Amino acid sequence: MREAVRLAERVAATDANVLISGESGAGKDALALFVHSRSPRALGSIVKIDCATLPGDLLEAELFGYEKGAFTGATEAKPGRLEAAHGGTLILDEIAHFSVDSQASY
């Protein structure tokens, strides 16, 4: 655990993307929050997407947002999660739950 914290502190000071993997209950969310809090993005938002609950056909709309009238039911513009996380941290929780097709498309 000490080594994980040391590495998290080192990577937090960079602009690198971070992949945190591990078994359920290992503390991945806590480590992600730790990295965020020690990073230059700490004053920005933390936006978390639970990929296990997001149907693959909604992935694009959630990540990138949409404009009013873009599709049936789009009665108003909605910013995407990437825009909401700008200057902060985007956490893609349970990304392995996306289909292979969805992962390859983006």
Side-chain angles (χ1 to χ4, degrees):
M1 187 63 171
R2 287 184 202 138
E3 181 59 30
V5 169
R6 274 193 290 270
L7 182 57
E9 286 177 332
R10 285 181 44 212
V11 76
T14 72
D15 261 347
N17 295 319
V18 178
L19 173 65
I20 301 171
S21 63
E23 296 178 19
S24 181
K28 297 179 295 292
D29 281 348
L31 190 59
L33 295 175
F34 178 83
V35 170
H36 174 80
S37 71
R38 302 286 197 286
S39 77
R41 297 168 300 282
L43 296 177
S45 299
I46 298 176
V47 177
K48 182 176 176 181
I49 299 175
D50 185 353
C51 300
T53 62
L54 184 64
D57 56 346
L58 294 180
L59 174 63
E60 184 175 359
E62 280 297 314
L63 288 177
F64 303 109
Y66 51 84
E67 295 297 320
K68 178 180 177 179
F71 53 86
T72 303
T75 58
E76 59 186 52
K78 179 184 179 228
R81 303 281 185 104
L82 290 171
E83 185 178 341
H86 182 73
T89 298
L90 177 68
I91 298 174
L92 299 173
D93 193 28
E94 301 294 342
I95 195 162
H97 285 271
F98 279 141
S99 70
V100 173
D101 292 338
S102 294
Q103 292 179 38
S105 297
Y106 303 100

